[in-house]
Amino acid sequence: MKIKMTVFILIAVLSFTKTALCAAETMIFWYPGEAGTTQEAQPILDTFLDYVSSKAQTVKLSGKYFNTTDEGLAFINRQKPAIGIVSYFAWESNKGNFRNSKVWLATNPTPHGQKQESYTLVGKGSLPGGNVTVFSSEPLGKDFIKNKLAFAQLKDFTPQSTAQLLFKLKSIAEGSVSAVAILSPTEAVTFQKMSAPWTKSLQVLAKSAVVPTARVVIFNPPLKDEVNLKNALLNLKSDPQAKDILEEMRLVGFSEP
């Protein structure tokens, strides 16, 4: 009886020690203009974060997804996440608020699996004359479009973000709206696969400058257990058991930035 009790106590102590040694870190997934709600994204985020935590072993991750600038900023100010996966647009537009932060890793999104990509400008035949309305799902500002994406074709234009980009594209194709649209890399791939007849009326007018993919950012370095977590993320792309999880996240994996 004493032996059994000793073993039980030892197991309990070891379990408690392992849990206590795990650093609890919060993570934000911040993609303004992207589809899906915070609630809809939570199940796959939990699966992803639990798997990464199991591989890192010394860190327990939890996190939330946000697809607006304001919600992301509010979460960062309130919850003080240690790290985040931040879209290129969100990072370039807000990095001045996080002067102590550092870009840590690059995401390698599907389907190309690289750490750089381009946006696509589409329209019906050619650019309309005069001041051109430029639709996008991301809330892209004029300065970002001109100086980061470097669409030289756009001289006089007004950006307009929309949650109904597909309907705007259809209206452009049918001629009921005189405008053009900027597609994110993911949207461009999806658009190429569409077979609806109206899509044939739209043409690619230009590709943007090559820009970084979403980055993994440490908001307040140094990060506890940084080496273990970094190795866990970098090794995901070669882990067969992580393949389905990554596909749900629309990622091939992570790489050095």
Side-chain angles (χ1 to χ4, degrees), residues 43-77:
I44 184 57
L45 286 193
D46 289 341
T47 301
F48 171 77
L49 294 170
D50 286 347
Y51 192 80
V52 173
S53 298
S54 72
K55 293 299 180 180
Q57 295 188 332
T58 55
V59 62
K60 175 60 179 175
L61 295 170
S62 62
K64 295 286 185 182
Y65 161 83
F66 298 97
N67 66 353
T68 71
T69 298
D70 290 346
E71 286 178 315
L73 286 173
F75 181 81
I76 293 170
N77 290 332

PDB file of all heavy atoms in Angstrom, residues 43-77:
ATOM      1  N   PRO A  43     -12.401  26.623 -33.543  1.00  0.00           N
ATOM      2  CA  PRO A  43     -12.084  25.191 -33.461  1.00  0.00           C
ATOM      3  C   PRO A  43     -10.777  24.806 -34.152  1.00  0.00           C
ATOM      4  O   PRO A  43      -9.974  24.051 -33.585  1.00  0.00           O
ATOM      5  CB  PRO A  43     -13.293  24.531 -34.144  1.00  0.00           C
ATOM      6  CG  PRO A  43     -14.408  25.495 -33.942  1.00  0.00           C
ATOM      7  CD  PRO A  43     -13.778  26.848 -34.040  1.00  0.00           C
ATOM      8  N   ILE A  44     -10.533  25.318 -35.359  1.00  0.00           N
ATOM      9  CA  ILE A  44      -9.296  24.952 -36.044  1.00  0.00           C
ATOM     10  C   ILE A  44      -8.096  25.620 -35.377  1.00  0.00           C
ATOM     11  O   ILE A  44      -7.004  25.035 -35.302  1.00  0.00           O
ATOM     12  CB  ILE A  44      -9.351  25.293 -37.550  1.00  0.00           C
ATOM     13  CG1 ILE A  44      -8.080  24.804 -38.248  1.00  0.00           C
ATOM     14  CG2 ILE A  44      -9.554  26.767 -37.786  1.00  0.00           C
ATOM     15  CD1 ILE A  44      -7.796  23.322 -38.101  1.00  0.00           C
ATOM     16  N   LEU A  45      -8.288  26.838 -34.847  1.00  0.00           N
ATOM     17  CA  LEU A  45      -7.186  27.481 -34.118  1.00  0.00           C
ATOM     18  C   LEU A  45      -6.800  26.665 -32.897  1.00  0.00           C
ATOM     19  O   LEU A  45      -5.608  26.480 -32.611  1.00  0.00           O
ATOM     20  CB  LEU A  45      -7.583  28.891 -33.677  1.00  0.00           C
ATOM     21  CG  LEU A  45      -7.648  29.998 -34.714  1.00  0.00           C
ATOM     22  CD1 LEU A  45      -7.748  31.347 -34.013  1.00  0.00           C
ATOM     23  CD2 LEU A  45      -6.465  29.977 -35.651  1.00  0.00           C
ATOM     24  N   ASP A  46      -7.795  26.183 -32.165  1.00  0.00           N
ATOM     25  CA  ASP A  46      -7.517  25.382 -30.974  1.00  0.00           C
ATOM     26  C   ASP A  46      -6.756  24.112 -31.340  1.00  0.00           C
ATOM     27  O   ASP A  46      -5.815  23.714 -30.630  1.00  0.00           O
ATOM     28  CB  ASP A  46      -8.820  25.018 -30.259  1.00  0.00           C
ATOM     29  CG  ASP A  46      -9.467  26.209 -29.566  1.00  0.00           C
ATOM     30  OD1 ASP A  46      -8.770  27.213 -29.332  1.00  0.00           O
ATOM     31  OD2 ASP A  46     -10.681  26.142 -29.278  1.00  0.00           O
ATOM     32  N   THR A  47      -7.159  23.471 -32.429  1.00  0.00           N
ATOM     33  CA  THR A  47      -6.463  22.260 -32.876  1.00  0.00           C
ATOM     34  C   THR A  47      -5.014  22.566 -33.230  1.00  0.00           C
ATOM     35  O   THR A  47      -4.085  21.854 -32.830  1.00  0.00           O
ATOM     36  CB  THR A  47      -7.176  21.654 -34.091  1.00  0.00           C
ATOM     37  OG1 THR A  47      -8.529  21.331 -33.738  1.00  0.00           O
ATOM     38  CG2 THR A  47      -6.469  20.385 -34.570  1.00  0.00           C
ATOM     39  N   PHE A  48      -4.814  23.646 -33.978  1.00  0.00           N
ATOM     40  CA  PHE A  48      -3.469  24.060 -34.382  1.00  0.00           C
ATOM     41  C   PHE A  48      -2.608  24.391 -33.164  1.00  0.00           C
ATOM     42  O   PHE A  48      -1.475  23.913 -33.030  1.00  0.00           O
ATOM     43  CB  PHE A  48      -3.561  25.265 -35.316  1.00  0.00           C
ATOM     44  CG  PHE A  48      -2.251  25.916 -35.626  1.00  0.00           C
ATOM     45  CD1 PHE A  48      -1.381  25.352 -36.539  1.00  0.00           C
ATOM     46  CD2 PHE A  48      -1.881  27.104 -35.001  1.00  0.00           C
ATOM     47  CE1 PHE A  48      -0.157  25.956 -36.837  1.00  0.00           C
ATOM     48  CE2 PHE A  48      -0.670  27.709 -35.281  1.00  0.00           C
ATOM     49  CZ  PHE A  48       0.196  27.131 -36.198  1.00  0.00           C
ATOM     50  N   LEU A  49      -3.137  25.195 -32.261  1.00  0.00           N
ATOM     51  CA  LEU A  49      -2.367  25.639 -31.099  1.00  0.00           C
ATOM     52  C   LEU A  49      -2.058  24.490 -30.144  1.00  0.00           C
ATOM     53  O   LEU A  49      -0.957  24.427 -29.578  1.00  0.00           O
ATOM     54  CB  LEU A  49      -3.117  26.748 -30.369  1.00  0.00           C
ATOM     55  CG  LEU A  49      -3.260  28.061 -31.156  1.00  0.00           C
ATOM     56  CD1 LEU A  49      -4.228  29.005 -30.455  1.00  0.00           C
ATOM     57  CD2 LEU A  49      -1.908  28.726 -31.343  1.00  0.00           C
ATOM     58  N   ASP A  50      -3.000  23.572 -29.981  1.00  0.00           N
ATOM     59  CA  ASP A  50      -2.747  22.396 -29.142  1.00  0.00           C
ATOM     60  C   ASP A  50      -1.644  21.529 -29.741  1.00  0.00           C
ATOM     61  O   ASP A  50      -0.791  20.994 -29.009  1.00  0.00           O
ATOM     62  CB  ASP A  50      -4.026  21.568 -28.982  1.00  0.00           C
ATOM     63  CG  ASP A  50      -5.035  22.215 -28.038  1.00  0.00           C
ATOM     64  OD1 ASP A  50      -4.655  23.158 -27.320  1.00  0.00           O
ATOM     65  OD2 ASP A  50      -6.202  21.784 -28.037  1.00  0.00           O
ATOM     66  N   TYR A  51      -1.663  21.394 -31.066  1.00  0.00           N
ATOM     67  CA  TYR A  51      -0.643  20.553 -31.708  1.00  0.00           C
ATOM     68  C   TYR A  51       0.744  21.187 -31.588  1.00  0.00           C
ATOM     69  O   TYR A  51       1.722  20.503 -31.253  1.00  0.00           O
ATOM     70  CB  TYR A  51      -0.990  20.325 -33.183  1.00  0.00           C
ATOM     71  CG  TYR A  51      -0.149  19.248 -33.814  1.00  0.00           C
ATOM     72  CD1 TYR A  51      -0.451  17.903 -33.616  1.00  0.00           C
ATOM     73  CD2 TYR A  51       0.964  19.570 -34.588  1.00  0.00           C
ATOM     74  CE1 TYR A  51       0.347  16.909 -34.174  1.00  0.00           C
ATOM     75  CE2 TYR A  51       1.754  18.587 -35.151  1.00  0.00           C
ATOM     76  CZ  TYR A  51       1.444  17.251 -34.942  1.00  0.00           C
ATOM     77  OH  TYR A  51       2.231  16.268 -35.489  1.00  0.00           O
ATOM     78  N   VAL A  52       0.822  22.487 -31.844  1.00  0.00           N
ATOM     79  CA  VAL A  52       2.115  23.175 -31.719  1.00  0.00           C
ATOM     80  C   VAL A  52       2.606  23.101 -30.280  1.00  0.00           C
ATOM     81  O   VAL A  52       3.799  22.867 -30.031  1.00  0.00           O
ATOM     82  CB  VAL A  52       1.997  24.641 -32.186  1.00  0.00           C
ATOM     83  CG1 VAL A  52       3.295  25.396 -31.899  1.00  0.00           C
ATOM     84  CG2 VAL A  52       1.670  24.707 -33.669  1.00  0.00           C
ATOM     85  N   SER A  53       1.701  23.271 -29.319  1.00  0.00           N
ATOM     86  CA  SER A  53       2.085  23.187 -27.905  1.00  0.00           C
ATOM     87  C   SER A  53       2.637  21.812 -27.555  1.00  0.00           C
ATOM     88  O   SER A  53       3.607  21.687 -26.798  1.00  0.00           O
ATOM     89  CB  SER A  53       0.879  23.498 -27.017  1.00  0.00           C
ATOM     90  OG  SER A  53       0.402  24.810 -27.226  1.00  0.00           O
ATOM     91  N   SER A  54       2.023  20.772 -28.136  1.00  0.00           N
ATOM     92  CA  SER A  54       2.482  19.413 -27.852  1.00  0.00           C
ATOM     93  C   SER A  54       3.883  19.174 -28.403  1.00  0.00           C
ATOM     94  O   SER A  54       4.649  18.386 -27.858  1.00  0.00           O
ATOM     95  CB  SER A  54       1.505  18.389 -28.431  1.00  0.00           C
ATOM     96  OG  SER A  54       1.592  18.330 -29.851  1.00  0.00           O
ATOM     97  N   LYS A  55       4.214  19.855 -29.489  1.00  0.00           N
ATOM     98  CA  LYS A  55       5.536  19.696 -30.084  1.00  0.00           C
ATOM     99  C   LYS A  55       6.583  20.554 -29.371  1.00  0.00           C
ATOM    100  O   LYS A  55       7.730  20.143 -29.203  1.00  0.00           O
ATOM    101  CB  LYS A  55       5.496  20.060 -31.574  1.00  0.00           C
ATOM    102  CG  LYS A  55       4.658  19.101 -32.424  1.00  0.00           C
ATOM    103  CD  LYS A  55       5.215  17.698 -32.368  1.00  0.00           C
ATOM    104  CE  LYS A  55       4.407  16.718 -33.186  1.00  0.00           C
ATOM    105  NZ  LYS A  55       4.954  15.341 -33.136  1.00  0.00           N
ATOM    106  N   ALA A  56       6.186  21.733 -28.960  1.00  0.00           N
ATOM    107  CA  ALA A  56       7.124  22.599 -28.232  1.00  0.00           C
ATOM    108  C   ALA A  56       7.360  22.085 -26.821  1.00  0.00           C
ATOM    109  O   ALA A  56       8.430  22.281 -26.248  1.00  0.00           O
ATOM    110  CB  ALA A  56       6.587  24.024 -28.193  1.00  0.00           C
ATOM    111  N   GLN A  57       6.324  21.476 -26.227  1.00  0.00           N
ATOM    112  CA  GLN A  57       6.362  20.824 -24.908  1.00  0.00           C
ATOM    113  C   GLN A  57       6.459  21.791 -23.731  1.00  0.00           C
ATOM    114  O   GLN A  57       5.872  21.546 -22.681  1.00  0.00           O
ATOM    115  CB  GLN A  57       7.495  19.799 -24.831  1.00  0.00           C
ATOM    116  CG  GLN A  57       7.310  18.622 -25.791  1.00  0.00           C
ATOM    117  CD  GLN A  57       8.335  17.541 -25.570  1.00  0.00           C
ATOM    118  OE1 GLN A  57       9.452  17.807 -25.123  1.00  0.00           O
ATOM    119  NE2 GLN A  57       7.967  16.321 -25.896  1.00  0.00           N
ATOM    120  N   THR A  58       7.179  22.875 -23.859  1.00  0.00           N
ATOM    121  CA  THR A  58       7.355  23.767 -22.712  1.00  0.00           C
ATOM    122  C   THR A  58       6.494  25.020 -22.798  1.00  0.00           C
ATOM    123  O   THR A  58       6.668  25.938 -21.989  1.00  0.00           O
ATOM    124  CB  THR A  58       8.828  24.188 -22.581  1.00  0.00           C
ATOM    125  OG1 THR A  58       9.258  24.772 -23.815  1.00  0.00           O
ATOM    126  CG2 THR A  58       9.709  22.999 -22.246  1.00  0.00           C
ATOM    127  N   VAL A  59       5.589  25.082 -23.762  1.00  0.00           N
ATOM    128  CA  VAL A  59       4.730  26.245 -23.899  1.00  0.00           C
ATOM    129  C   VAL A  59       3.309  25.786 -24.205  1.00  0.00           C
ATOM    130  O   VAL A  59       3.100  24.832 -24.954  1.00  0.00           O
ATOM    131  CB  VAL A  59       5.245  27.206 -24.997  1.00  0.00           C
ATOM    132  CG1 VAL A  59       5.255  26.535 -26.355  1.00  0.00           C
ATOM    133  CG2 VAL A  59       4.407  28.479 -25.048  1.00  0.00           C
ATOM    134  N   LYS A  60       2.337  26.445 -23.609  1.00  0.00           N
ATOM    135  CA  LYS A  60       0.929  26.168 -23.847  1.00  0.00           C
ATOM    136  C   LYS A  60       0.311  27.398 -24.501  1.00  0.00           C
ATOM    137  O   LYS A  60       0.195  28.458 -23.879  1.00  0.00           O
ATOM    138  CB  LYS A  60       0.202  25.839 -22.536  1.00  0.00           C
ATOM    139  CG  LYS A  60      -1.308  25.658 -22.679  1.00  0.00           C
ATOM    140  CD  LYS A  60      -1.665  24.526 -23.630  1.00  0.00           C
ATOM    141  CE  LYS A  60      -3.171  24.356 -23.728  1.00  0.00           C
ATOM    142  NZ  LYS A  60      -3.541  23.328 -24.739  1.00  0.00           N
ATOM    143  N   LEU A  61      -0.073  27.249 -25.776  1.00  0.00           N
ATOM    144  CA  LEU A  61      -0.588  28.368 -26.545  1.00  0.00           C
ATOM    145  C   LEU A  61      -2.106  28.407 -26.541  1.00  0.00           C
ATOM    146  O   LEU A  61      -2.772  27.375 -26.607  1.00  0.00           O
ATOM    147  CB  LEU A  61      -0.105  28.268 -27.999  1.00  0.00           C
ATOM    148  CG  LEU A  61       1.390  28.402 -28.253  1.00  0.00           C
ATOM    149  CD1 LEU A  61       1.698  28.041 -29.704  1.00  0.00           C
ATOM    150  CD2 LEU A  61       1.866  29.809 -27.952  1.00  0.00           C
ATOM    151  N   SER A  62      -2.640  29.612 -26.496  1.00  0.00           N
ATOM    152  CA  SER A  62      -4.059  29.844 -26.740  1.00  0.00           C
ATOM    153  C   SER A  62      -4.140  31.083 -27.625  1.00  0.00           C
ATOM    154  O   SER A  62      -3.183  31.872 -27.693  1.00  0.00           O
ATOM    155  CB  SER A  62      -4.826  30.058 -25.442  1.00  0.00           C
ATOM    156  OG  SER A  62      -4.348  31.202 -24.764  1.00  0.00           O
ATOM    157  N   GLY A  63      -5.269  31.277 -28.323  1.00  0.00           N
ATOM    158  CA  GLY A  63      -5.317  32.430 -29.201  1.00  0.00           C
ATOM    159  C   GLY A  63      -6.670  32.689 -29.812  1.00  0.00           C
ATOM    160  O   GLY A  63      -7.603  31.892 -29.681  1.00  0.00           O
ATOM    161  N   LYS A  64      -6.759  33.826 -30.519  1.00  0.00           N
ATOM    162  CA  LYS A  64      -7.979  34.266 -31.177  1.00  0.00           C
ATOM    163  C   LYS A  64      -7.653  34.814 -32.570  1.00  0.00           C
ATOM    164  O   LYS A  64      -6.560  35.317 -32.815  1.00  0.00           O
ATOM    165  CB  LYS A  64      -8.667  35.371 -30.364  1.00  0.00           C
ATOM    166  CG  LYS A  64      -9.183  34.953 -29.002  1.00  0.00           C
ATOM    167  CD  LYS A  64     -10.432  34.099 -29.106  1.00  0.00           C
ATOM    168  CE  LYS A  64     -11.004  33.789 -27.730  1.00  0.00           C
ATOM    169  NZ  LYS A  64     -12.195  32.907 -27.812  1.00  0.00           N
ATOM    170  N   TYR A  65      -8.675  34.728 -33.434  1.00  0.00           N
ATOM    171  CA  TYR A  65      -8.587  35.259 -34.793  1.00  0.00           C
ATOM    172  C   TYR A  65      -9.469  36.498 -34.905  1.00  0.00           C
ATOM    173  O   TYR A  65     -10.586  36.527 -34.382  1.00  0.00           O
ATOM    174  CB  TYR A  65      -9.059  34.188 -35.780  1.00  0.00           C
ATOM    175  CG  TYR A  65      -9.462  34.700 -37.157  1.00  0.00           C
ATOM    176  CD1 TYR A  65      -8.502  34.933 -38.133  1.00  0.00           C
ATOM    177  CD2 TYR A  65     -10.805  34.910 -37.472  1.00  0.00           C
ATOM    178  CE1 TYR A  65      -8.875  35.387 -39.395  1.00  0.00           C
ATOM    179  CE2 TYR A  65     -11.179  35.354 -38.734  1.00  0.00           C
ATOM    180  CZ  TYR A  65     -10.209  35.591 -39.681  1.00  0.00           C
ATOM    181  OH  TYR A  65     -10.576  36.032 -40.937  1.00  0.00           O
ATOM    182  N   PHE A  66      -8.963  37.527 -35.609  1.00  0.00           N
ATOM    183  CA  PHE A  66      -9.744  38.735 -35.851  1.00  0.00           C
ATOM    184  C   PHE A  66      -9.549  39.188 -37.296  1.00  0.00           C
ATOM    185  O   PHE A  66      -8.430  39.152 -37.820  1.00  0.00           O
ATOM    186  CB  PHE A  66      -9.327  39.858 -34.895  1.00  0.00           C
ATOM    187  CG  PHE A  66      -9.558  39.513 -33.453  1.00  0.00           C
ATOM    188  CD1 PHE A  66      -8.515  39.026 -32.671  1.00  0.00           C
ATOM    189  CD2 PHE A  66     -10.811  39.644 -32.882  1.00  0.00           C
ATOM    190  CE1 PHE A  66      -8.730  38.687 -31.347  1.00  0.00           C
ATOM    191  CE2 PHE A  66     -11.031  39.310 -31.548  1.00  0.00           C
ATOM    192  CZ  PHE A  66      -9.990  38.832 -30.784  1.00  0.00           C
ATOM    193  N   ASN A  67     -10.644  39.646 -37.917  1.00  0.00           N
ATOM    194  CA  ASN A  67     -10.557  40.070 -39.319  1.00  0.00           C
ATOM    195  C   ASN A  67     -10.903  41.544 -39.512  1.00  0.00           C
ATOM    196  O   ASN A  67     -11.279  41.956 -40.601  1.00  0.00           O
ATOM    197  CB  ASN A  67     -11.433  39.186 -40.211  1.00  0.00           C
ATOM    198  CG  ASN A  67     -12.914  39.337 -39.922  1.00  0.00           C
ATOM    199  OD1 ASN A  67     -13.311  39.997 -38.977  1.00  0.00           O
ATOM    200  ND2 ASN A  67     -13.730  38.707 -40.757  1.00  0.00           N
ATOM    201  N   THR A  68     -10.762  42.321 -38.433  1.00  0.00           N
ATOM    202  CA  THR A  68     -10.841  43.774 -38.567  1.00  0.00           C
ATOM    203  C   THR A  68      -9.652  44.396 -37.838  1.00  0.00           C
ATOM    204  O   THR A  68      -9.111  43.817 -36.895  1.00  0.00           O
ATOM    205  CB  THR A  68     -12.142  44.356 -37.967  1.00  0.00           C
ATOM    206  OG1 THR A  68     -12.098  44.259 -36.540  1.00  0.00           O
ATOM    207  CG2 THR A  68     -13.374  43.641 -38.502  1.00  0.00           C
ATOM    208  N   THR A  69      -9.274  45.576 -38.302  1.00  0.00           N
ATOM    209  CA  THR A  69      -8.149  46.272 -37.675  1.00  0.00           C
ATOM    210  C   THR A  69      -8.466  46.629 -36.229  1.00  0.00           C
ATOM    211  O   THR A  69      -7.657  46.394 -35.324  1.00  0.00           O
ATOM    212  CB  THR A  69      -7.815  47.554 -38.463  1.00  0.00           C
ATOM    213  OG1 THR A  69      -7.412  47.194 -39.799  1.00  0.00           O
ATOM    214  CG2 THR A  69      -6.684  48.330 -37.795  1.00  0.00           C
ATOM    215  N   ASP A  70      -9.646  47.185 -35.998  1.00  0.00           N
ATOM    216  CA  ASP A  70     -10.003  47.652 -34.653  1.00  0.00           C
ATOM    217  C   ASP A  70     -10.071  46.509 -33.644  1.00  0.00           C
ATOM    218  O   ASP A  70      -9.609  46.645 -32.502  1.00  0.00           O
ATOM    219  CB  ASP A  70     -11.336  48.397 -34.691  1.00  0.00           C
ATOM    220  CG  ASP A  70     -11.224  49.744 -35.398  1.00  0.00           C
ATOM    221  OD1 ASP A  70     -10.086  50.203 -35.603  1.00  0.00           O
ATOM    222  OD2 ASP A  70     -12.264  50.319 -35.754  1.00  0.00           O
ATOM    223  N   GLU A  71     -10.669  45.380 -34.041  1.00  0.00           N
ATOM    224  CA  GLU A  71     -10.766  44.247 -33.115  1.00  0.00           C
ATOM    225  C   GLU A  71      -9.387  43.701 -32.774  1.00  0.00           C
ATOM    226  O   GLU A  71      -9.120  43.322 -31.631  1.00  0.00           O
ATOM    227  CB  GLU A  71     -11.626  43.144 -33.727  1.00  0.00           C
ATOM    228  CG  GLU A  71     -13.108  43.445 -33.753  1.00  0.00           C
ATOM    229  CD  GLU A  71     -13.902  42.345 -34.416  1.00  0.00           C
ATOM    230  OE1 GLU A  71     -13.478  41.867 -35.494  1.00  0.00           O
ATOM    231  OE2 GLU A  71     -14.942  41.946 -33.862  1.00  0.00           O
ATOM    232  N   GLY A  72      -8.507  43.647 -33.780  1.00  0.00           N
ATOM    233  CA  GLY A  72      -7.153  43.175 -33.526  1.00  0.00           C
ATOM    234  C   GLY A  72      -6.405  44.076 -32.568  1.00  0.00           C
ATOM    235  O   GLY A  72      -5.759  43.608 -31.621  1.00  0.00           O
ATOM    236  N   LEU A  73      -6.481  45.387 -32.796  1.00  0.00           N
ATOM    237  CA  LEU A  73      -5.797  46.332 -31.914  1.00  0.00           C
ATOM    238  C   LEU A  73      -6.358  46.267 -30.495  1.00  0.00           C
ATOM    239  O   LEU A  73      -5.605  46.319 -29.513  1.00  0.00           O
ATOM    240  CB  LEU A  73      -5.940  47.749 -32.470  1.00  0.00           C
ATOM    241  CG  LEU A  73      -5.101  48.085 -33.697  1.00  0.00           C
ATOM    242  CD1 LEU A  73      -5.477  49.459 -34.232  1.00  0.00           C
ATOM    243  CD2 LEU A  73      -3.610  48.026 -33.387  1.00  0.00           C
ATOM    244  N   ALA A  74      -7.677  46.130 -30.389  1.00  0.00           N
ATOM    245  CA  ALA A  74      -8.294  46.058 -29.061  1.00  0.00           C
ATOM    246  C   ALA A  74      -7.829  44.816 -28.309  1.00  0.00           C
ATOM    247  O   ALA A  74      -7.543  44.881 -27.103  1.00  0.00           O
ATOM    248  CB  ALA A  74      -9.818  46.061 -29.197  1.00  0.00           C
ATOM    249  N   PHE A  75      -7.741  43.690 -29.019  1.00  0.00           N
ATOM    250  CA  PHE A  75      -7.294  42.454 -28.373  1.00  0.00           C
ATOM    251  C   PHE A  75      -5.845  42.577 -27.924  1.00  0.00           C
ATOM    252  O   PHE A  75      -5.491  42.145 -26.819  1.00  0.00           O
ATOM    253  CB  PHE A  75      -7.451  41.281 -29.351  1.00  0.00           C
ATOM    254  CG  PHE A  75      -7.039  39.954 -28.786  1.00  0.00           C
ATOM    255  CD1 PHE A  75      -7.909  39.231 -27.977  1.00  0.00           C
ATOM    256  CD2 PHE A  75      -5.790  39.409 -29.067  1.00  0.00           C
ATOM    257  CE1 PHE A  75      -7.538  37.992 -27.459  1.00  0.00           C
ATOM    258  CE2 PHE A  75      -5.410  38.176 -28.555  1.00  0.00           C
ATOM    259  CZ  PHE A  75      -6.289  37.473 -27.749  1.00  0.00           C
ATOM    260  N   ILE A  76      -4.997  43.161 -28.757  1.00  0.00           N
ATOM    261  CA  ILE A  76      -3.586  43.323 -28.404  1.00  0.00           C
ATOM    262  C   ILE A  76      -3.439  44.229 -27.190  1.00  0.00           C
ATOM    263  O   ILE A  76      -2.671  43.942 -26.260  1.00  0.00           O
ATOM    264  CB  ILE A  76      -2.786  43.874 -29.607  1.00  0.00           C
ATOM    265  CG1 ILE A  76      -2.740  42.828 -30.730  1.00  0.00           C
ATOM    266  CG2 ILE A  76      -1.372  44.261 -29.187  1.00  0.00           C
ATOM    267  CD1 ILE A  76      -2.200  43.348 -32.040  1.00  0.00           C
ATOM    268  N   ASN A  77      -4.179  45.325 -27.166  1.00  0.00           N
ATOM    269  CA  ASN A  77      -4.091  46.261 -26.036  1.00  0.00           C
ATOM    270  C   ASN A  77      -4.640  45.655 -24.754  1.00  0.00           C
ATOM    271  O   ASN A  77      -4.140  45.937 -23.658  1.00  0.00           O
ATOM    272  CB  ASN A  77      -4.848  47.541 -26.374  1.00  0.00           C
ATOM    273  CG  ASN A  77      -4.157  48.362 -27.452  1.00  0.00           C
ATOM    274  OD1 ASN A  77      -2.939  48.307 -27.590  1.00  0.00           O
ATOM    275  ND2 ASN A  77      -4.935  49.110 -28.220  1.00  0.00           N
TER     276      ASN A  77
END
